[in-house]
Amino acid sequence: MNAPVLVVVLALAALAAARPQSQFQQQPQQFQQQPQQFQQARQVEQFQRPTPVPIISRQETRDDHGQFALAIVSADGIARTDSGALVKIKDGENKDDYYLRREGSYKYTSPEGTPVEVHYIADENGFQIVNPQ
């Protein structure tokens, strides 16, 4: 037998011997562990599922060109506004085109109890945090 062929045959035999046991051979062990694993998975699932917060106000308008206005307030005091308006590009190669200028805000209370309010715009200069007026 040729040496390279022998190496390939031995490598394949080693892979076959090292393969994991079949699913049928592992079943009894899986059935013994399943109740404990199920209980742990259920505890993790319950821990990760947050309590839904009702939306107490939602107003949304859109037009056929992609412009929009959105305002949402939830029962826990979180509020968000966002609007997008088409604005003509002022200069450059595409000065006859438009972009969507966005403006909005969000507010919430931090875990430490501090009220947080952020106002922003996103326009030809990028995303910018701005002070409330």
Side-chain angles (χ1 to χ4, degrees), residues 2-74:
N2 190 338
V5 173
L6 182 61
V7 170
V8 170
V9 169
L10 289 174
L12 289 174
L15 284 173
R19 79 177 202 289
Q21 296 178 346
S22 74
Q23 180 182 0
F24 298 111
Q25 293 171 340
Q26 294 177 358
Q27 273 185 346
Q29 185 180 8
Q30 285 179 340
F31 286 133
Q32 291 171 2
Q33 294 176 357
Q34 188 174 6
Q36 182 182 4
Q37 290 173 347
F38 177 74
Q39 190 68 12
Q40 289 171 348
R42 188 172 180 181
Q43 289 171 354
V44 168
E45 180 182 306
Q46 289 173 354
F47 177 74
Q48 294 176 345
R49 187 176 301 162
T51 304
V53 177
I55 301 297
I56 58 176
S57 171
R58 179 185 173 100
Q59 299 171 342
E60 183 174 4
T61 58
R62 296 186 180 272
D63 71 12
D64 294 337
H65 305 290
Q67 300 180 109
F68 68 94
L70 172 69
I72 299 174
V73 179
S74 61

Side-chain angles (χ1 to χ4, degrees), residues 111-129:
E112 297 78 27
T114 306
V116 176
E117 187 167 356
V118 177
H119 294 259
Y120 62 88
I121 59 171
D123 59 11
E124 70 271 11
N125 298 316
F127 179 85
Q128 305 154 58
I129 301 292

